[in-house]
């Protein structure tokens, strides 16, 4: 029997045959014509504003018309971004992405008067409209946004912000992606892009890791002034917009980030305080790893090093899918079937390509609702865990595909819960199935590496970004100062556990240059600790004889787009994440993992 061979490039032809297909052009023309009609229709809003049932019918019609336009704009944007990930220099992908952004921006500009109405409406009238089955689908989203009604600018100003952001704010993020695609490096005599070079940081050969790290650092050093301009522009934009919005109540960047993450500031403050107290766990994991590697203190090139004396065999993509699918299936059979389906359908793009962007992510089309995973797969155990992480996101998206679009949009905090839960399933399964002490060590090593990443590296990113935002208030922050801020943040969290820091991390880490989000860091820590707590509780229920834990997990994920993180945890776990006890429970599980690693070292 021939082994299964999965496609490793996206199969998106049923969405659109190509970026320049006549079908896509016809849909874009339809969307533009429909948007012009919708804009004219919304012009009648004032005439029905005080007419009760007529207003309700009017709003229903607006929502139905907007949905088809939104689906087209979403699909085209995802298709263009997907191609741009495979080749960051593809001119057609850039042009199509620009057109999709413009369409989506124009739609939101057209809808601005309706949004203004819904957010400022008296509560009794709003409550009445939310009883309508169609309008009520947006009940949670609108209630959440109504909390910041005092931050809204007049409609014309909101429309201006949306329009300028298309090529202003988001243009800076796109510039960063262009840099990622164009940087070329020579490592071990081979020319390659950043994505392939990043995989070499997981090599068992320390000399190769160091060569790759130095080459990546040198590549970014040549672009550091441009990245500094990007970070200053993004944060300057956000700060000025917050000042313009905050005429009656000025919110700081973290308050706005918490709102975007659907958590309370008290929750974030408690999370970070408890993590700082536990940072020694991550440092201890690094020290243990360094000892096994025979290194007095690791450098930044060693943060993804595999354990020594383990097989250097590359894990084929098909084998990785099977490993992940079996681990998923042990928890939920349908979850395992889903992982195989993702590979069979060509919904995972894993093969190296020229000018490929770095990192990994999960995205989804709007209609049909289908997830997609991006990764540059090279057969390392780190790749396997990353693939499991992204497939956890994909499973989350698959479970909620039947919900209204507004309820399929969940915050990053809860998004990372699903992905890291999936990682945990795979790590635990591999540990239990290990046939040798060497295999057990490899999995325990991955857990320890996770502790170091989430309890030290992620918080250091958070501290750096806080410092960047604070200094940007006073003016331009130079590349040299950005490097100094990075060293200071790493010093607070890594302390003496590294021999040196990574001063250009601010340039090399794409998360700081994402236009749509500030503080694209603490949600990973939140998801890590929250997912451990969820896993522990579900396994305890299973041990007590409960048979529906997979359904309980599904129910939790389906609620992620329709309630706050605090409400979600209270409903499904009966706990308060504003209190230290919740996070201390999860940190105790991390301590168990680090101890397990220490024991595996012998």
């Amino acid at each position: 029997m021939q082994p299964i061979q999965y496609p490793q490039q996206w199969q998106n032809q049923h969405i659109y045959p190509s970026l320049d297909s006549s079908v896509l052009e016809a849909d874009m023309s339809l969307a533009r014509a429909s948007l012009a009609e919708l804009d004219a229709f919304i012009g009648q809003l004032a005439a029905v504003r005080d007419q009760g049932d007529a207003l309700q019918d009017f709003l229903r019609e607006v929502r139905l018309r907007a949905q088809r336009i939104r689906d087209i704009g979403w699909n085209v944007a995802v298709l263009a971004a997907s191609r741009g990930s495979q080749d960051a220099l593809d001119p057609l992908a850039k042009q199509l992405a620009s057109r999709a952004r413009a369409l989506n921006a124009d739609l939101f500009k057209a809808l601005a008067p309706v949004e203004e109405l819904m957010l400022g409406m008296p509560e009794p009238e709003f409550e009445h409209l939310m009883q309508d089955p169609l309008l009520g689908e947006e009940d949670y989203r609108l209630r959440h946004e109504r909390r910041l009604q005092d931050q809204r600018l007049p409609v014309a100003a909101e429309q201006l912000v949306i329009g300028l952001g298309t090529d202003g704010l988001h243009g800076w993020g796109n510039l960063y992606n262009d840099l990622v695609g164009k940087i070329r490096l020579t490592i071990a005599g081979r020319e390659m892009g950043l994505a392939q070079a990043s995989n070499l940081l997981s090599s068992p050969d320390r000399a190769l890791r160091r060569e790759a790290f130095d080459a990546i650092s040198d590549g970014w050093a040549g672009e550091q002034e441009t990245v500094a301009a990007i970070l200053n522009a993004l944060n300057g934009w956000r700060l000025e917009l917050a000042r313009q919005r905050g005429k009656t109540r000025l919110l700081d960047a973290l308050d706005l980030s918490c709102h975007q993450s659907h958590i309370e500031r008290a929750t974030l403050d408690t999370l970070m305080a408890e993590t700082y107290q536990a940072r020694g766990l991550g440092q201890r994991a690094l020290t243990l790893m360094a000892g096994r590697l025979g290194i007095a203190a690791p450098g930044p090139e060693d943060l993804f090093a595999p354990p020594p004396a383990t097989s250097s065999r590359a894990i084929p993509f098909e084998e990785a899918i099977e490993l992940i699918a079996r681990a998923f299936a042990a928890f939920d059979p349908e979850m395992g079937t889903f992982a195989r389906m993702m590979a069979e359908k060509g919904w995972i793009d894993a093969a190296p390509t020229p000018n490929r962007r770095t990192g990994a992510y999960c995205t989804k089309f709007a209609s049909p609702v289908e997830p997609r995973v991006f990764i540059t797969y090279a057969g390392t155990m780190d790749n396997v865990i990353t693939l499991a992480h992204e497939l956890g996101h994909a499973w989350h998206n698959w479970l909620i595909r039947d919900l209204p679009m507004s309820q399929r949009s969940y915050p990053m905090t809860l998004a990372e819960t699903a992905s890291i839960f999936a990682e945990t399933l795979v790590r635990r399964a591999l540990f239990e199935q290990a046939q040798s002490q060497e295999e057990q060590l490899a999995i325990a090593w991955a857990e320890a590496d996770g502790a170091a990443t989430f309890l030290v590296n992620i918080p250091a990113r958070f501290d750096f970004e806080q410092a960047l935002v604070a200094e940007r208030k006073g003016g331009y922050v130079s590349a040299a100062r950005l490097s100094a801020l990075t060293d200071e943040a790493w010093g607070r969290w890594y302390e003496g556990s590294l021999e040196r820091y990574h001063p250009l991390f601010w340039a090399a880490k794409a998360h700081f240059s994402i236009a749509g989000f500030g503080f694209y860091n603490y949600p990973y820590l939140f998801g890590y600790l929250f997912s451990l707590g969820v896993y522990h509780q579900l396994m305890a229920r299973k041990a007590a004889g409960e048979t529906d834990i997979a359904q309980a997990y599904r129910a939790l994920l389906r609620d992620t787009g329709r309630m706050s993180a605090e409400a979600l945890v209270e409903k499904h776990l009966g706990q308060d994440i504003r209190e230290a006890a919740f996070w201390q429970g999860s940190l105790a599980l991390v301590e168990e993992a680090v101890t397990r690693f220490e024991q595996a070292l012998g």
Side-chain angles (χ1 to χ4, degrees), residues 308-322:
T310 57
S311 171
S312 59
R313 179 183 72 90
I315 303 167
F317 180 71
E318 288 74 17
E319 185 178 333
I321 293 294
E322 191 57 30

Side-chain angles (χ1 to χ4, degrees), residues 206-370:
R206 193 185 192 205
L208 180 58
R209 291 199 306 272
R210 180 62 181 265
E211 185 180 356
F213 176 82
D214 288 345
I216 292 169
S217 295
D218 288 346
W220 282 115
E223 302 289 351
Q224 61 180 310
E225 295 301 334
T226 303
V227 182
I230 290 170
L231 294 184
N232 276 276
L234 293 176
N235 287 282
W237 177 290
R238 294 172 188 142
L239 288 166
E240 180 58 27
L241 183 58
R243 279 193 289 267
Q244 294 298 323
R245 292 188 186 282
K247 300 299 186 184
T248 59
R249 179 174 61 119
L250 182 61
L251 300 180
D252 70 22
L254 272 183
D255 288 328
L256 292 169
S257 176
C258 286
H259 179 80
Q260 196 170 30
S261 293
H262 294 236
I263 63 172
E264 296 178 17
R265 181 67 177 268
T267 297
L268 176 60
D269 291 344
T270 302
L271 169 66
M272 296 311 303
E274 292 305 313
T275 302
Y276 189 73
Q277 292 299 314
R279 68 193 184 283
L281 279 176
Q283 296 172 7
R284 178 180 155 205
L286 279 172
T287 300
L288 290 168
M289 293 163 72
R292 187 55 180 256
L293 289 169
I295 302 169
E301 70 273 15
D302 300 313
L303 293 179
F304 301 104
T310 57
S311 171
S312 59
R313 179 183 72 90
I315 303 167
F317 180 71
E318 288 74 17
E319 185 178 333
I321 293 294
E322 191 57 30
L323 286 172
I324 293 167
R326 286 201 302 266
F328 285 2
F331 176 74
D332 184 339
E334 287 188 34
M335 192 175 177
T337 300
F338 168 78
R340 294 187 183 95
M341 181 194 77
M342 286 285 295
E344 290 165 358
K345 288 183 174 291
W347 291 358
I348 304 172
D349 197 276
T353 50
N355 311 317
R356 192 173 182 84
R357 66 156 284 178
T358 55
Y361 66 83
C362 177
T363 188
K364 58 183 177 287
F365 287 103
S367 179
V369 183
E370 295 175 357

Side-chain angles (χ1 to χ4, degrees), residues 504-555:
L504 281 173
F505 188 76
W506 60 270
K509 194 63 187 176
H511 288 175
F512 299 127
S513 295
I514 294 175
F517 294 90
F519 295 98
Y520 200 95
N521 36 57
Y522 69 79
Y524 287 95
L525 172 61
F526 181 104
Y528 172 64
L529 295 178
F530 179 44
S531 67
L532 287 178
V534 171
Y535 180 87
H536 182 71
Q537 286 210 18
L538 292 178
M539 292 303 106
R541 291 186 196 178
K542 183 178 182 180
E546 289 191 30
T547 59
D548 61 347
I549 60 168
Q551 291 300 323
Y553 179 60
R554 291 187 189 193

Side-chain angles (χ1 to χ4, degrees), residues 493-511:
W493 289 88
Y494 281 102
E495 297 177 298
S497 59
L498 290 183
E499 66 174 5
R500 69 186 193 288
Y501 304 136
H502 184 357
L504 281 173
F505 188 76
W506 60 270
K509 194 63 187 176
H511 288 175

